[in-house]
Amino acid sequence: MMYGYTWDLTTPLTYAASILPILLIGLTVTLQAAAAGFALALVLGLAFALLRRSRIKAVALTTAFVVEFLRDTPLLVQLFFLYYVLPDYGITLPAFLTGVIALGLQYSAYTSEVYRGGIEAIPRGQWEAATALNMTRWQTYRDIVIPQMVPRIVPTMGNYLVAMLKETPVLSVVTVLEMLGLANMIGERTFEYLVPLSMVGIIFLLLTLICSAGIHRLEKVLPKAGIPLR
């Protein structure tokens, strides 16, 4: 029994039906962690990309070092550091929040490079035209850079969203009961792993297919909404 649900091991189908509600609880946690982590990665990544373009050399170099450090160290190490090391210094975070921060930090390094590539793809002449029109830096980004950058970065950002979604099982090591963690617990209690793990694999497959379809749809909608691809 788990979360008030019992499982029926009579046949594989009844077993699958009896554990599905439990896995759906884990699915909710998985989706919440991926959504929150990706939102954090988008915000931090944009901040890193802009800071790397700073005219202050010390700021640009420091940001570049932070991005490289986050990108070149394993997610699991960052997760353990946040969950086990920070409490030694008086900072204790809930397991779920720790997982979201770890995912957001790790992927912010990747999204920052995507943003940077999108910004640098804007022709130099358009930057010069904005300067000639006496546009502020904010107006330049709002009216010229971002409308052209967004369609370019959507496919890559979508790939990172799918990758993050598939990384969420790592959070189980800090007691976050996401979908794969619950499937593993069910297997430990019933000594039957094939059905729960197969169901998790199928659910992840469906999620990634849905995400991919949504990303392809977004790629087609953005130009129609008036955001040029070039």
Side-chain angles (χ1 to χ4, degrees), residues 136-200:
T136 64
R137 195 172 182 84
W138 163 247
Q139 289 173 327
T140 302
Y141 276 101
R142 183 192 63 191
D143 299 331
I144 296 177
V145 176
I146 293 178
Q148 296 181 74
M149 177 186 71
V150 170
R152 288 187 172 100
I153 67 175
V154 163
T156 308
M157 289 297 192
N159 290 337
Y160 283 131
L161 173 59
V162 171
M164 180 181 288
L165 184 64
K166 294 188 291 186
E167 289 259 35
T168 53
V170 176
L171 305 188
S172 62
V173 301
V174 292
T175 72
V176 176
L177 292 178
E178 46 67 56
M179 187 165 52
L180 183 59
L182 287 177
N184 189 51
M185 290 177 63
I186 292 171
E188 289 175 349
R189 297 185 185 186
T190 62
F191 302 102
E192 172 54 63
Y193 288 90
L194 177 61
V195 172
L197 294 181
S198 298
M199 290 177 68
V200 169

Side-chain angles (χ1 to χ4, degrees), residues 31-33 51 56 74 76 92 94 102 108 117 119 130 133 136 153 155 164 173 180 198-199 206 217 220 222:
L31 294 176
Q32 290 173 342
L51 287 173
I56 303 173
L76 196 58
T92 303
S108 66
I119 292 172
L133 292 171
T136 64
I153 67 175
M164 180 181 288
V173 301
L180 183 59
S198 298
M199 290 177 68
L206 292 175
R217 176 61 180 165
K220 295 178 181 179
L222 286 177

Side-chain angles (χ1 to χ4, degrees), residues 27-198:
L27 173 61
T28 301
V29 176
T30 295
L31 294 176
Q32 290 173 342
F38 193 66
L40 181 60
L42 290 178
V43 174
L44 286 179
L46 181 58
F48 287 148
L50 295 178
L51 287 173
R52 289 192 71 171
R53 294 178 59 82
S54 173
R55 296 185 178 93
I56 303 173
K57 192 172 182 180
V59 172
L61 290 176
T62 301
T63 305
F65 172 79
V66 171
V67 169
E68 286 299 321
F69 177 82
L70 292 173
R71 187 170 57 181
D72 297 338
T73 53
L75 172 61
L76 196 58
V77 172
Q78 296 174 17
L79 189 60
F80 279 171
F81 184 91
L82 291 172
Y83 193 71
Y84 293 111
V85 177
L86 290 186
D88 293 340
Y89 297 91
I91 304 174
T92 303
L93 302 174
F96 181 81
L97 179 59
T98 301
V100 168
I101 293 174
L103 288 171
L105 287 174
Q106 172 89 100
Y107 278 85
S108 66
Y110 301 119
T111 59
S112 71
E113 292 301 297
V114 177
Y115 282 126
R116 193 162 66 94
I119 292 172
E120 292 179 353
I122 305 300
R124 184 177 180 82
Q126 297 195 29
W127 294 93
E128 294 173 348
T131 302
L133 292 171
N134 200 30
M135 296 177 69
T136 64
R137 195 172 182 84
W138 163 247
Q139 289 173 327
T140 302
Y141 276 101
R142 183 192 63 191
D143 299 331
I144 296 177
V145 176
I146 293 178
Q148 296 181 74
M149 177 186 71
V150 170
R152 288 187 172 100
I153 67 175
V154 163
T156 308
M157 289 297 192
N159 290 337
Y160 283 131
L161 173 59
V162 171
M164 180 181 288
L165 184 64
K166 294 188 291 186
E167 289 259 35
T168 53
V170 176
L171 305 188
S172 62
V173 301
V174 292
T175 72
V176 176
L177 292 178
E178 46 67 56
M179 187 165 52
L180 183 59
L182 287 177
N184 189 51
M185 290 177 63
I186 292 171
E188 289 175 349
R189 297 185 185 186
T190 62
F191 302 102
E192 172 54 63
Y193 288 90
L194 177 61
V195 172
L197 294 181
S198 298

